[in-house]
Amino acid sequence: MSEIHKSKAEHDDPVQAGYPVTIIGGGEAQYICRKNETLLQGMLRLGCKGIPVGCLGGGCGVCKIRIRQGAIHELGPMSRAHISVEEEEQKVYLACRIAPVEALEIEVLSRAINKSLAFLWQASEEDEGRSRLKHITKEEA
């Protein structure tokens, strides 16, 4: 099992502590998500990867996950264009619209991600490198 990603505030202040979120599928990642932030916000705050990120507002459906273990509360409505009532009954949600109320184990359902988290992490790092290169090139001009 890999190390759980925590912010400095979470190490220093137990009030800032949240719940562990374990991402299962193709690899395993774990991070701490606060109870007042979405699963995506917690992941991004710590610079972690594992859940694909799109619009962050529930409109694109890129961050579709299934809760395998644990409980959540909704921070906003689920888009019925991306999550049906039947799917929600099977614990399928958008990670940008839910927060943990206890430790979670989740499975990423987005088709693009299901192949392997490791493959996506590598692709993401390569994309970040290209973005930095473009940014440097613009500044030098």
Side-chain angles (χ1 to χ4, degrees), residues 23 30 36 76 86 119:
I23 303 169
Q30 203 171 43
N36 63 343
E86 293 81 18
F119 172 78

Side-chain angles (χ1 to χ4, degrees), residues 19-130:
Y19 302 102
V21 177
T22 303
I23 303 169
I24 303 296
E28 200 169 288
Q30 203 171 43
Y31 65 96
I32 298 293
C33 187
R34 297 175 185 155
K35 63 182 177 181
N36 63 343
E37 67 186 352
T38 69
L39 296 185
L40 276 185
Q41 288 170 333
M43 183 188 76
L44 293 172
R45 176 178 49 81
L46 295 170
C48 299
K49 296 180 176 85
I51 304 170
V53 179
C55 69
L56 298 174
C60 70
V62 169
C63 62
K64 192 183 240 188
I65 61 161
R66 178 184 325 276
I67 305 295
R68 292 176 62 169
Q69 186 174 342
I72 55 98
H73 68 96
E74 293 185 26
L75 296 177
M78 292 294 141
S79 168
R80 289 299 170 219
H82 303 294
I83 304 291
S84 69
V85 173
E86 293 81 18
E87 286 178 309
E88 202 167 333
E89 289 171 354
Q90 296 171 8
K91 298 185 176 186
V92 174
Y93 301 97
L94 299 177
C96 66
R97 308 307 281 166
I98 61 171
V101 296
E102 63 184 21
L104 293 178
E105 184 177 288
I106 65 171
E107 172 186 3
V108 176
L109 297 180
S110 296
R111 284 179 229 142
I113 235 30
N114 244 352
K115 294 179 183 174
S116 167
L117 285 174
F119 172 78
L120 288 167
W121 289 337
Q122 178 184 3
S124 176
E125 288 171 1
E126 289 171 3
D127 288 344
E128 287 172 8
R130 283 190 216 112

